[in-house]
């Protein structure tokens, strides 16, 4: 038979045993189930994250806007093909308020969402010389299909350097009549000397002027028109054109106090004009005589500044512009000449 002390000890042991069996910390209790979700971090709703949560907390996460399953991932890769720019010159961004992304670095995005990748360029005029193309899981406009949880998507944007073959040249003509002059801008003809200009003779005009295209290389802008004006040419009225660049030439003519007489309006004063009554708009030389150009095929025998002899075509009544002086032999020649009226 147990005495009173033994009965008290047995009761304490029983209480300890029962407490140990019912305690949540009991070593034999099952672990709570972990569930994968796409989580919206509080305060940063555009940065979804794939996490695992205990099953009892799942309802609260779903109510918060999280979704079951892993987030989707998108990787955008930028390739720059040629030219002076680099990947860093083309910042990338996903829409739906996601924000900037880094080339080649995967980002987690929400499932069941359509995303569009876009790019900008931070290097001024050079940006205009690149053509973008898209490949991968995005379409030609950079749009991804509606995302599926746990799926990885990729898109490559290739920017190919495609510089233009021409430059733009804008010519602005201003006329100031603060004396006896009465002419306007369109009374002057702008003359472009360049490689393959889209137009090399046209009437002058005030701003915004007239824009032509020219190929790379040396160029200059001149003019013909009424006498009695002193022209002032801006810096870009001559130089070396670079493809893709734009140049603006401004020519300002101020009338002189004394206006010379130019009866036929060819730009040569009557006192110096050896070919009066030249038809309007006719190209003339410094003596006011018409300049022509012909193509001649044959054997060039000899030439100087006052005569031209080609097999089958000989005339000392024609004056040759000495631009081809020293050329001899058979071939096709572009000969600029005028009627000799000396």
């Amino acid at each position: 038979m147990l005495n009173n002390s033994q009965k008290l000890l047995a009761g304490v042991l029983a209480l300890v045993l029962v407490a140990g069996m019912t305690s949540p910390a009991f070593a034999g209790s099952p672990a709570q189930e972990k569930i994968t979700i796409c989580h919206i971090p509080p305060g940063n709703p555009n940065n979804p994250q794939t996490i695992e949560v205990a099953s009892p907390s799942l309802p609260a996460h779903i109510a918060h806007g999280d979704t079951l399953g892993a987030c989707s991932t998108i990787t955008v890769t930028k390739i720059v093909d040629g030219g002076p720019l680099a990947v860093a010159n083309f910042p990338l961004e996903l829409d739906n308020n996601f924000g900037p992304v880094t080339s080649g670095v995967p980002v987690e995005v929400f499932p069941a969402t359509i995303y569009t990748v876009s790019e900008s360029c931070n290097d001024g005029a050079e940006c205009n010389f690149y053509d973008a193309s898209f490949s991968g899981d995005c379409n030609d406009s950079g749009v991804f299909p509606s995302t599926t949880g746990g799926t990885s998507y990729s898109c490559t944007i290739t920017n190919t350097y495609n510089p233009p073959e021409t430059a733009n040249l804008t010519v602005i003509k201003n006329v100031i009549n603060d004396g006896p002059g009465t002419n306007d801008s369109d009374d002057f003809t702008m003359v472009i000397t360049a490689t393959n200009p889209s137009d090399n003779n046209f009437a002058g005009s005030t701003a915004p002027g007239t824009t032509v295209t020219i190929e790379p290389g040396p160029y200059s802008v001149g003019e013909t028109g009424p006498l009695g004006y002193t022209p002032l040419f801006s810096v870009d009225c001559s130089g070396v054109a670079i493809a893709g660049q734009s140049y603006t030439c401004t020519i300002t003519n101020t009338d002189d106090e004394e206006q010379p007489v130019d009866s036929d309006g060819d730009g040569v004063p009557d006192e110096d004009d050896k070919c009066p009554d030249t038809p309007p708009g006719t190209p003339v030389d410094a003596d006011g005589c018409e300049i022509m150009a012909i193509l001649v095929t044959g054997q060039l025998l000899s030439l100087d500044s006052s005569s031209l002899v080609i097999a089958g075509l000989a005339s000392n009544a024609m004056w040759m512009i000495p631009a081809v002086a020293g050329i001899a032999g058979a071939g096709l020649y572009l000969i600029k000449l005028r009627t000799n009226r000396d």
Side-chain angles (χ1 to χ4, degrees), residues 282-285 289-296 304-308 310 313 315 317-324 333-340:
T282 301
V284 298
D285 58 19
C289 296
E290 179 181 359
I291 297 175
M292 298 174 290
I294 62 172
L295 285 173
V296 176
D304 57 35
S305 62
S306 61
S307 65
L308 165 68
I310 295 180
L313 174 66
S315 173
M318 308 292 280
W319 179 81
M320 173 147 156
I321 301 295
V324 294
Y333 302 93
L334 176 62
I335 307 300
K336 293 183 178 180
L337 37 84
R338 77 170 193 185
T339 301
N340 190 343

Side-chain angles (χ1 to χ4, degrees), residues 183-277:
N183 292 283
D184 296 322
S185 297
D186 57 4
D187 292 321
F188 294 81
T189 298
M190 305 294 99
V191 180
I192 309 299
T193 301
T195 304
N196 293 328
S198 58
D199 193 355
N200 63 353
N201 287 275
F202 49 88
S205 61
T206 57
T210 301
T211 299
V212 298
T213 59
I214 58 178
E215 292 185 3
Y219 74 93
S220 64
V221 182
E223 65 176 3
T224 61
L227 302 176
Y229 286 84
T230 300
L232 177 63
F233 295 81
S234 67
V235 173
D236 278 350
C237 288
S238 63
V240 178
I242 299 174
Q245 299 298 310
S246 296
Y247 306 91
T248 300
C249 167
T250 300
I251 306 176
T252 302
N253 287 57
T254 303
D255 61 344
D256 301 329
E257 292 184 3
E258 296 184 5
Q259 299 287 302
V261 178
D262 177 19
S263 301
D264 57 6
D266 62 0
V268 179
D270 285 356
E271 61 185 20
D272 299 324
D273 197 337
K274 297 179 181 179
C275 299
D277 303 322

